[in-house]
Amino acid sequence: EMLELHEPDITPEGDRRSMRLDVEADKFDPGRYVDDVLLGEEYATDSQYCDGDDGGGGDMIFDEAVRMEPHWKKSGKTRVSIESITGDIESLSIGTAAAGPSFESSQLSEDEMQLLASIPATNMPPVNFASMNQSQIQSTLLSLLDILFAYAYDHRTTGGDPTVESSWTVAILSPTLSWFDKYDAVTDGGTDAATHIDTPAGVFLWCIRRSLVYPYLRSYNLGVMIANDVISILRGGRRVVLRCLLSLRKIFENSTGHYLLNK
């Protein structure tokens, strides 16, 4: 199935999260998790983080995933805690801000340029960002965060070469895509003030939680690594984000069901 949310048209937005958490709790397999819990323990310190020369994590796919150099990495191997990234995400905005640092991974290839040009205008409805309040902008950015997490997970675990399972992996890991979960962000006050507040750190925890329930590799250490990948993508600027979204579009377009998420 394309969605875990079976009846999105009639399910109230306010009920979707509690339903999602119930399903995740029901599908969590403690035995399966224990099998993977030691994966990457040797990568749990900064000196060994993503260093492929000191042995493996006991699983070939895991070893290759943590050792690969994804296209959004410009140099070095730095680790960032989930707590420290909150300020980075909250500082993002949608508008005319600078596009971010310029480096090789931000350059669109000829194929990517052609793909971008081929997207029908009807698939890109005009959006007046000036009419969006801060809460709506932050909610949109938080949704982007979980979609990028799902993409980065698949990119690492497939070595950057998507498989027939990639569309399912991305969709199932993203609460936005699998449940149409909507995030509530900080507002300036008034009648539209959120009843509860979602944060970047909270979104990462939701994503890591799902990564421990559904895919082949269910490693918390890998989940934290993917969270760091998302930060690298965002710090790379809009072009790096665009490259990821174009790659994701190709993944969905080649799927028999998930292509609808491109519409």
Side-chain angles (χ1 to χ4, degrees):
E1 296 181 356
M2 189 177 72
L3 302 175
E4 272 200 313
L5 178 61
H6 298 304
E7 298 179 317
D9 292 335
I10 63 175
T11 305
E13 288 184 1
D15 294 342
R16 293 175 186 176
R17 180 164 305 177
S18 61
M19 292 172 62
R20 172 173 66 81
L21 295 177
D22 287 343
V23 172
E24 290 171 1
D26 183 61
K27 290 188 175 181
F28 177 70
D29 184 344
R32 177 68 172 76
Y33 173 70
V34 169
D35 289 341
D36 285 356
V37 73
L38 296 180
L39 282 179
E41 283 300 313
E42 63 267 40
Y43 301 101
T45 64
D46 289 339
S47 62
Q48 295 169 318
Y49 186 73
C50 201
D51 185 347
D53 298 328
D54 298 327
D59 184 285
M60 182 176 67
I61 297 177
F62 177 87
D63 293 342
E64 292 178 353
V66 299
R67 291 170 181 168
M68 81 167 295
E69 188 78 1
H71 64 81
W72 52 80
K73 293 284 190 180
K74 62 176 180 178
S75 65
K77 300 179 178 68
T78 57
R79 189 177 187 182
V80 184
S81 68
I82 288 180
E83 292 76 12
S84 69
I85 64 180
T86 301
D88 292 304
I89 304 301
E90 291 178 342
S91 67
L92 293 175
S93 64
I94 300 175
T96 58
S102 175
F103 50 90
E104 183 177 356
S105 67
S106 70
Q107 303 306 310
L108 297 182
S109 67
E110 183 176 347
D111 288 343
E112 289 168 335
M113 292 291 289
Q114 291 178 352
L115 175 59
L116 184 60
S118 70
I119 300 176
T122 54
N123 284 11
M124 297 185 291
V127 178
N128 183 7
F129 292 118
S131 68
M132 297 173 65
N133 61 34
Q134 187 61 28
S135 177
Q136 292 170 324
I137 292 174
Q138 290 294 318
S139 178
T140 301
L141 291 172
L142 292 176
S143 292
L144 175 64
L145 199 65
D146 81 36
I147 292 172
L148 288 175
F149 180 98
Y151 165 74
Y153 179 99
D154 181 76
H155 188 82
R156 271 199 179 275
T157 57
T158 62
D161 186 14
T163 70
V164 293
E165 297 291 334
S166 291
S167 61
W168 176 86
T169 300
V170 173
I172 202 67
L173 288 180
S174 165
T176 296
L177 298 179
S178 59
W179 281 89
F180 296 157
D181 202 347
K182 182 179 179 181
Y183 297 110
D184 290 320
V186 177
T187 68
D188 294 328
T191 58
D192 64 342
T195 56
H196 65 275
I197 303 301
D198 289 308
T199 65
V203 173
F204 277 123
L205 291 177
W206 295 137
C207 293
I208 293 174
R209 173 188 168 105
R210 292 185 72 80
S211 75
L212 302 181
V213 176
Y214 295 98
Y216 170 70
L217 292 175
R218 305 179 186 183
S219 164
Y220 177 81
N221 291 316
L222 178 61
V224 173
M225 179 181 291
I226 301 303
N228 279 274
D229 280 334
V230 175
I231 297 307
S232 295
I233 292 170
L234 295 173
R235 286 177 173 172
R238 297 178 186 174
R239 291 180 183 176
V240 177
V241 173
L242 180 59
R243 289 194 69 190
C244 294
L245 295 180
L246 288 172
S247 297
L248 182 54
R249 180 178 177 81
K250 289 180 64 176
I251 290 173
F252 285 153
E253 199 64 38
N254 292 327
S255 168
T256 57
H258 292 103
Y259 73 94
L260 292 171
L261 293 172
N262 283 340
K263 304 304 180 181

